[in-house]
Amino acid sequence: MKLNLTTKIVIALVLGAVIGLILNLFAKDIFDVLDPYFFSPLGKIFLNLISMLVVPIVFFSIVLGAAGLGDPKMLGRIGLKTIIYFLLTTSIAIIIGLILANVLDPGLVEGIDKTQAEGYKAEEEAPPISETLMNIIPKNPIAAMTEGNMLQIIAFSIFIGLGLTVLGEKTKGIFKLIEQGNDLMMYLVGLVMKFAPYGTFGLIASAIGSQGFSALKSMGLYFSVVLLALIIHAIVTYGGTIMFLAKKSPIWFFKNFAPAMSVAFSTSSSNATLPISMEVAQKRLKVPEPISSFVQPLGATINMDGTAIMQGVATVFIAQVYGVDLSMGELVTVVLTAVLASIGTAGVPGVGLILLAMVLSSVNLPVEGIGLILGIDRLLDMARTSVNISGDAACAVYVAETEKKRKIKDQRGDSI
């Protein structure tokens, strides 16, 4: 029986977790020998292969997306819908996290060792939101591409797409070249995906083997609260989007999007998973290429619902560990800071913890508290990345359906 790619990835994921856990518990010395020569290289090669494709895919796809939408008004309408959706779902995500953390009190569990937080310092500070907004327009598009500055690449690509639309026949050759470049990138994504099960196995075995479940002993409830909030958000918010806004089955959505979620789980990177999540959305969820090409790269850059959940739970958790009662005003401050900063910190490495440091500072909690959750953050990062890219895909499906209905109305000559 020939297994499909999704089944292979899931098998690799489970196998990697089991082998990593067994080695961590019973043969740590063997794991320490195998990891640098086998598990880590497998994962690193896979990550490098898909990371290699991210910048050209974002450029080609957004140029085609902007040009394919044709009407600048349509581009503005889709952009507005997308950004409003992302801001709303990020707000919902952090509120879910705050409610669950306040109900289940993960920071009041006995045995949490505060000494592991001592000496922690935030490596970077999140840039001010105003600075990020000012820097969206690249001074040097080539530099933006070499640095992987996604917001600047997106802005430049939109301008190129609009230019191709306005100039029409004059730039037919360039448009054809961009189309061929996009086709080439999608072929390479398919090629790289054949290596996905092996890369997934290596990444998971390395993560579980090095972390194990020892980190979960005193942090089990915190881990469980974040995981529960992620599951609730995915089912209620994204499932609700698909059911009530897109008028489709949530089961259909999650079943078809599973391959991308599996890769996101193993890579812990929305940007690295972008080529695969776009291909899955276009081929399996039937999202039109122009909409997928615009919505998903933007989501990978600014939509961080899974990270927002972690920040909400972590803020309450750290406050409880340090014996600080957060007022309703401070909880509102946490929501606003996290939602607004989700745009301001786009493209910054280690964005989740940097953003958390910003949120903690906004309510005068010790940034050192981040040291408490570092041990299990890698494991949670895998789960929240899967949630992040699911939100991007749900938004793409919703936008595609609303635009389809709008097109039908236009053809009927109805007033809009």
Side-chain angles (χ1 to χ4, degrees):
M1 184 179 72
K2 192 176 180 182
L3 300 174
N4 63 30
L5 184 63
T6 308
T7 309
K8 287 179 183 176
I9 291 173
V10 171
I11 290 170
L13 200 148
V14 173
L15 200 61
V18 169
I19 289 175
L21 188 59
I22 290 170
L23 289 174
N24 179 272
L25 294 174
F26 306 110
K28 196 72 168 71
D29 291 342
I30 296 174
F31 172 79
D32 291 339
V33 172
L34 282 175
D35 188 43
Y37 298 104
F38 181 60
F39 298 134
S40 285
L42 266 181
K44 183 82 171 169
I45 289 167
F46 178 57
L47 272 178
N48 287 350
L49 281 170
I50 54 179
S51 296
M52 168 184 77
L53 302 176
V54 171
V55 169
I57 275 187
V58 169
F59 175 71
F60 287 131
S61 63
I62 288 197
V63 170
L64 278 182
L69 294 173
D71 183 3
K73 286 182 183 175
M74 186 179 177
L75 181 63
R77 190 171 66 242
I78 288 174
L80 192 63
K81 276 184 201 172
T82 303
I83 291 168
I84 289 172
Y85 179 86
F86 288 152
L87 291 177
L88 280 175
T89 56
T90 303
S91 303
I92 293 167
I94 195 166
I95 289 166
I96 289 171
L98 288 171
I99 290 170
L100 282 179
N102 277 292
V103 169
L104 299 174
D105 296 329
L108 301 181
V109 174
E110 290 181 15
I112 296 172
D113 182 12
K114 269 199 257 186
T115 58
Q116 60 190 312
E118 290 173 6
Y120 174 82
K121 288 184 180 177
E123 291 181 15
E124 297 179 66
E125 287 185 8
I129 297 163
S130 56
E131 184 184 317
T132 302
L133 293 174
M134 291 289 288
N135 289 335
I136 285 176
I137 309 300
K139 291 179 183 175
N140 184 341
I142 306 301
M145 289 180 184
T146 56
E147 292 164 8
N149 189 319
M150 300 305 285
L151 275 180
Q152 292 189 353
I153 295 168
I154 289 168
F156 178 65
S157 304
I158 289 171
F159 279 118
I160 297 289
L162 282 172
L164 289 174
T165 300
V166 173
L167 293 171
E169 284 295 312
K170 288 183 182 178
T171 52
K172 192 167 67 174
I174 294 176
F175 183 80
K176 187 70 178 170
L177 183 66
I178 299 280
E179 269 189 327
Q180 290 170 340
N182 193 58
D183 290 342
L184 176 59
M185 289 302 115
M186 286 305 168
Y187 165 75
L188 291 178
V189 169
L191 206 60
V192 168
M193 281 301 287
K194 294 183 188 302
F195 188 71
Y198 308 102
T200 298
F201 171 79
L203 287 165
I204 294 297
S206 181
I208 301 290
S210 58
Q211 301 276 331
F213 284 107
S214 57
L216 292 179
K217 283 178 185 173
S218 63
M219 303 289 287
L221 187 55
Y222 166 78
F223 185 92
S224 303
V225 171
V226 176
L227 211 55
L228 179 61
L230 289 170
I231 292 167
I232 290 171
H233 186 64
I235 293 171
V236 175
T237 309
Y238 302 151
T241 297
I242 299 299
M243 182 179 284
F244 299 112
L245 298 181
K247 310 293 184 189
K248 291 181 180 288
S249 164
I251 295 169
W252 162 84
F253 172 77
F254 287 113
K255 183 181 174 185
N256 281 291
F257 198 61
M261 292 174 73
S262 302
V263 172
F265 189 83
S266 60
T267 61
S268 303
S269 170
S270 297
N271 279 346
T273 315
L274 184 59
I276 290 123
S277 60
M278 284 173 59
E279 186 189 42
V280 171
Q282 290 167 24
K283 291 187 176 175
R284 301 183 64 148
L285 299 179
K286 307 300 179 190
V287 177
E289 193 175 320
I291 291 173
S292 165
S293 299
F294 180 81
V295 172
Q296 287 179 278
L298 188 61
T301 309
I302 68 170
N303 182 41
M304 296 187 292
D305 290 2
T307 306
I309 283 170
M310 179 273 285
Q311 286 148 11
V313 177
T315 301
V316 175
F317 171 77
I318 290 166
Q320 289 173 346
V321 170
Y322 284 92
V324 177
D325 287 324
L326 294 173
S327 66
M328 184 55 70
E330 285 172 322
L331 292 175
V332 171
T333 302
V334 169
V335 174
L336 291 175
T337 306
V339 171
L340 293 174
S342 67
I343 298 171
T345 52
V348 180
V351 68
L353 295 177
I354 294 167
L355 186 49
L356 179 56
M358 190 174 175
V359 171
L360 292 175
S361 299
S362 72
V363 288
N364 299 314
L365 284 172
V367 174
E368 294 78 22
I370 293 174
L372 292 169
I373 64 170
L374 279 179
I376 57 170
D377 190 66
R378 175 71 178 87
L379 300 176
L380 284 171
D381 199 14
M382 298 189 291
R384 63 180 185 252
T385 304
S386 296
V387 169
N388 286 346
I389 68 153
S390 301
D392 304 339
C395 181
V397 172
Y398 149 65
V399 170
E401 286 303 307
T402 57
E403 288 302 314
K404 190 192 293 180
K405 288 170 189 170
R406 188 180 182 96
K407 191 179 287 185
I408 291 167
K409 282 185 179 181
D410 283 343
Q411 288 168 351
R412 288 175 182 162
D414 292 350
S415 58
I416 299 168

